[in-house]
Amino acid sequence: MPRGELRIYLGAAPGVGKTYAMLEEARRRAERGTDVVVGLVETHGRPHTAAMVGDLEVVPRRPITYRGTGFTEMDLDAVLARRPEIAVVDELAHTNVPGSRHEKRWQDVQELLDAGISVLSTVNIQHLESINDVVAQITGTTQRETVPDAVVRAAEQVELVDMTPEALRRRMAHGNIYRSDKIDAALGNYFRIGNLTALRELALLWLADKVDDQLDRYRAQQGISATWEARERVVVALTGGPEGETLIRRAARIAARSKGADLLAVHVARNDGLAGADPAQLARQRILVESLGGTYHQVLGGDVPAALLDFARGVNATQLVLGASRRGRFAQLFSRGVGVTTTALSGAIDVHLVTHPQAGRGRQGAGMPAALSRRRRLLGYALAAFGMPLLTLLLATLPDLMLTNDILLFLAGVVGVALVGGLWPALVAALGGSLLLNWFFTPPFHTLTIAEADNLLALGVFVGVAVAVSWVVDVAARRTREAARAAADAQTLATVAGSVLRGERPLPALLDRLRETFALRAVSVLELVADAEGRPGRAREEGAWRRVASVGDAPAGSPSAGETAVPVDDRLTVVLSGRRLEAADRRIVEAFAAQAAVALRQERLAEEAATARPLAEADRMRTALLAAVSHDLRTPLASAKAAVSSLRSPDVEFDPEDRAELLATADESLDRLGRLVANLLDMSRLQAGALGVSRTPIGLEDAVPRALDELGPVAADVRTDIPADLPAASADPGLLERVLVNIVANALRHSPSGQPPTITASAHAGQVELRVIDTGPGIPEDQWEHVFLPFQRLGDRDNQTGVGLGLALSRGLAEAMGGSITPETTPGGGLTMVLRLPAAGQTAPGGPPQ
């Protein structure tokens, strides 16, 4: 059975018209004769959307009862039994009510697709799993309902339903998205211009990436290797040389000229696995690339131009940036070089050859390291100096040997010298051996003259073979040493990376691992102070440096105070104390120093984020406060104003009952206003740490009735069960009453009619526990903490029940008294709020025994 096709309508925010567009497509398909049914559509009370359902066949929803409350979900079995060609299933990221076959609606859709039924569905960008955290940072709202990106990317068609932020806000203001009582709060919070613009950009970028994936799959399926310039992609080739930063910045400027262009840096490493480039330079260049918004890649290849072009074509690059060759003119006579070869083979890819200060100067560096140790080289020279004469004396005692045998024995001696001392001792042995063979064993003897051409050829072959064998032996030894060094460096880097990833603070872990690896006494990271920047003379002074991180004993306070100083950039230097490092070790230390700079930057960003978080939270709360109290302040003020104005009006004569009712209305409104202002002031004091608390022993059997009296007739049916022998609690009487009023009011608000909440109390482990139990719909455990956020109500159902400060303020007041408030699930359904206070005579956190 062929699998059904999935078509998704993607939107940046609620209200852009996803469901409307989906129903339009369903109606078009039905008018063409396609069998279409509506499995589930959420109209959210929008009349235009509801009208689009029209005469489409709708599969009745399946009722589900959860914790005493009735819900409806899509009847998956009924849709499967109906077996339409196309099913309309709205809100792909929806979480099904417990008791459904699948936890998520997208899993229902997968089952429909597996059954051969095509599906039309909708999803908002904030519900995609990969960018859920980004949306939370932008909007301040965490979306609990998410769908894996792979599900949406696997859809055969994804259509963006787009609308400008201004148009969407107009729709909101006209009441086409939310009810009128939620418009003000929505426009002031989630539907701000900045939020909607950012969400729209996320939706466009995400869809562009999916389109790019589709293009890559099509090119792969069709075997198309040519570049299609659908999007500018600039690839910069890095060799690990000093010109890399110039090339990166040049490539970044090229990419910046095209909106949305990608910057990719690539280094082609030798495919023999041996280190060729400077790892410290590559590490610094990688940091620079990533700071400019690009990505770093490394590929293996023996043929650099071919590997570079394979990578560029693989990522569909449009431009390639290379550095002008560092080789001298003489070297360029024998080889065209990477730049010229790549340009000749690039095809449709534009190649930029960028000049730089190192162009044409040759490969400057530390030079080729010796393949063997100094001791072995000296031993090789000694063997050449004494071994060749000894071999001559030995052969002189054997007069019957022919010249060819003498040459073979001397060649064996040269090979032995090469094995012991390397290339240069072997060359000395070859030169000395050829002279000794000519003087003692080639006629005419004891002269450097060679009488026969055959003997000249034999000596020439001897010298050539001796030099060739010596070169091969030296290269093999050099490669062996390089391989061992590369393996050791890789092992060290892997160990350091592992320790950094496992540590909570990357920078100290990195420095400590560096100190242990090279047996150092101390390692410190120094930063040039601001007044020393750009002043070389000042930079040499002791007070010009600030130690930003260090490990070990007596870390250096300036670069000159340590044995080895490794500059990271113009401001940062890593100083090693304890011993001087070899030149070969410095390369790996430079790579570590570059990673230390990254770790330091991450720590500082984390500190800045921690500093900015309270400011952002304060701003969020200020915005939420203004949006929330805009209604709750106006309503009681308007009611009191209307009542007082009516009483003062000379045009109307009120009888005593009407006058009493108006006075009661004004009194009730002013009481509401007073409670609101008191809550706001208390929350402000809590956040500022200026709330005065005076804890005294108080019995709950006295505090609870006063709180119920404060709530008035609505709390008359609340049941209480407080033991007579319950210990007194240590609390502030006024604050405790406020806490109880808010908790009980919340329970009354959510209790079913005829099932009032119950208040029980008990003592346990030096604490007095009071439980306010309701049998309402309850709250899922993963949302318990949300009810304690200021200016929030579960579900945001209305704007008539206060600004959402009650539970947040209650928790803050309880904690100020040394107690706590935690939610629990009521057996059989509902929510239980548990208030814990220290018993009188026990030690409360932050204070002496009461």
Side-chain angles (χ1 to χ4, degrees), residues 1 48 80 92 154 303 356 449 502 574 636 661 745:
M1 177 186 301
H48 298 296
L80 290 170
L92 187 65
D303 186 346
H356 50 85
T449 303
R502 290 189 296 270
V574 176
E661 183 177 353

Side-chain angles (χ1 to χ4, degrees), residues 177-310:
I177 301 176
Y178 289 165
R179 297 193 307 271
S180 58
D181 57 356
K182 300 185 69 174
I183 291 175
D184 289 343
L187 290 175
N189 289 278
Y190 195 88
F191 283 80
R192 295 197 298 268
I193 287 287
N195 287 358
L196 297 177
T197 302
L199 292 173
R200 188 185 186 202
E201 184 176 11
L202 283 175
L204 291 169
L205 291 174
W206 191 92
L207 189 60
D209 286 340
K210 175 175 171 54
V211 173
D212 201 48
D213 292 341
Q214 291 176 330
L215 179 60
D216 288 342
R217 285 199 301 269
Y218 176 80
R219 294 175 69 240
Q221 292 170 357
Q222 302 298 321
I224 300 173
S225 59
T227 300
W228 286 10
E229 298 184 12
R231 180 195 293 188
E232 287 288 344
R233 283 188 175 85
V234 182
V235 173
V236 54
L238 303 178
T239 64
E243 77 281 358
E245 294 187 4
T246 301
L247 301 183
I248 292 169
R249 291 189 171 92
R250 177 62 173 164
R253 290 195 295 270
I254 294 174
R257 294 171 186 168
S258 300
K259 186 67 175 177
D262 294 332
L263 174 64
L264 302 92
V266 59
H267 169 66
V268 180
R270 286 167 24 188
N271 56 9
D272 56 10
L274 302 182
D278 186 348
Q281 290 275 17
L282 286 177
R284 286 192 286 268
Q285 291 165 14
R286 177 174 186 167
I287 295 170
L288 177 60
V289 169
E290 293 174 349
S291 69
L292 294 173
T295 57
Y296 177 86
H297 308 267
Q298 183 163 311
V299 297
L300 296 177
D303 186 346
V304 174
L308 193 57
L309 289 172
D310 287 343

Side-chain angles (χ1 to χ4, degrees), residues 120-396:
L120 304 179
S121 189
T122 64
V123 71
N124 280 328
I125 192 67
Q126 67 263 28
H127 295 297
L128 294 179
E129 184 66 47
S130 65
I131 56 178
N132 183 257
D133 57 338
V134 179
V135 173
Q137 292 175 0
I138 294 172
T139 64
T141 302
T142 301
Q143 299 291 337
R144 298 297 176 184
E145 295 185 329
T146 59
V147 59
D149 286 47
V151 174
V152 183
R153 288 188 181 276
E156 281 70 21
Q157 298 181 63
V158 177
E159 180 176 331
L160 178 67
V161 182
D162 191 29
M163 182 177 290
T164 64
E166 294 78 8
L168 186 56
R169 284 173 60 85
R170 284 196 299 270
R171 288 200 67 202
M172 173 70 73
H174 293 159
N176 294 330
I177 301 176
Y178 289 165
R179 297 193 307 271
S180 58
D181 57 356
K182 300 185 69 174
I183 291 175
D184 289 343
L187 290 175
N189 289 278
Y190 195 88
F191 283 80
R192 295 197 298 268
I193 287 287
N195 287 358
L196 297 177
T197 302
L199 292 173
R200 188 185 186 202
E201 184 176 11
L202 283 175
L204 291 169
L205 291 174
W206 191 92
L207 189 60
D209 286 340
K210 175 175 171 54
V211 173
D212 201 48
D213 292 341
Q214 291 176 330
L215 179 60
D216 288 342
R217 285 199 301 269
Y218 176 80
R219 294 175 69 240
Q221 292 170 357
Q222 302 298 321
I224 300 173
S225 59
T227 300
W228 286 10
E229 298 184 12
R231 180 195 293 188
E232 287 288 344
R233 283 188 175 85
V234 182
V235 173
V236 54
L238 303 178
T239 64
E243 77 281 358
E245 294 187 4
T246 301
L247 301 183
I248 292 169
R249 291 189 171 92
R250 177 62 173 164
R253 290 195 295 270
I254 294 174
R257 294 171 186 168
S258 300
K259 186 67 175 177
D262 294 332
L263 174 64
L264 302 92
V266 59
H267 169 66
V268 180
R270 286 167 24 188
N271 56 9
D272 56 10
L274 302 182
D278 186 348
Q281 290 275 17
L282 286 177
R284 286 192 286 268
Q285 291 165 14
R286 177 174 186 167
I287 295 170
L288 177 60
V289 169
E290 293 174 349
S291 69
L292 294 173
T295 57
Y296 177 86
H297 308 267
Q298 183 163 311
V299 297
L300 296 177
D303 186 346
V304 174
L308 193 57
L309 289 172
D310 287 343
F311 174 82
R313 294 189 180 106
V315 298
N316 202 23
T318 56
Q319 303 189 60
L320 183 59
V321 178
L322 303 172
S325 177
R326 285 182 288 162
R327 300 182 308 150
R329 293 186 177 181
F330 181 76
Q332 294 180 26
L333 295 176
F334 299 94
S335 174
R336 295 190 300 174
V338 173
V340 176
T341 304
T342 303
T343 303
L345 302 175
S346 63
I349 301 176
D350 297 334
V351 179
H352 302 263
L353 281 177
V354 179
T355 187
H356 50 85
Q358 288 74 30
R361 295 187 177 182
R363 295 189 178 273
Q364 301 173 0
M368 183 178 294
L372 301 174
S373 65
R374 184 171 181 271
R375 179 174 176 274
R376 286 188 59 177
R377 294 198 304 273
L378 291 176
L379 183 60
Y381 283 121
L383 186 60
F386 297 103
M388 292 296 105
L390 289 176
L391 180 60
T392 302
L393 292 176
L394 177 63
L395 294 178

Side-chain angles (χ1 to χ4, degrees), residues 700-701 703-704 722 726 736 740 743-744 759-762 768-772 832-837:
L700 293 185
E701 66 276 8
V704 172
I722 301 177
L726 185 71
L736 176 59
L740 294 175
I743 296 177
V744 177
I759 301 176
T760 66
S762 61
V768 177
E769 295 184 355
L770 186 140
R771 298 173 179 269
V772 180
T832 298
M833 284 292 180
V834 183
L835 169 63
R836 294 182 176 88
L837 294 169

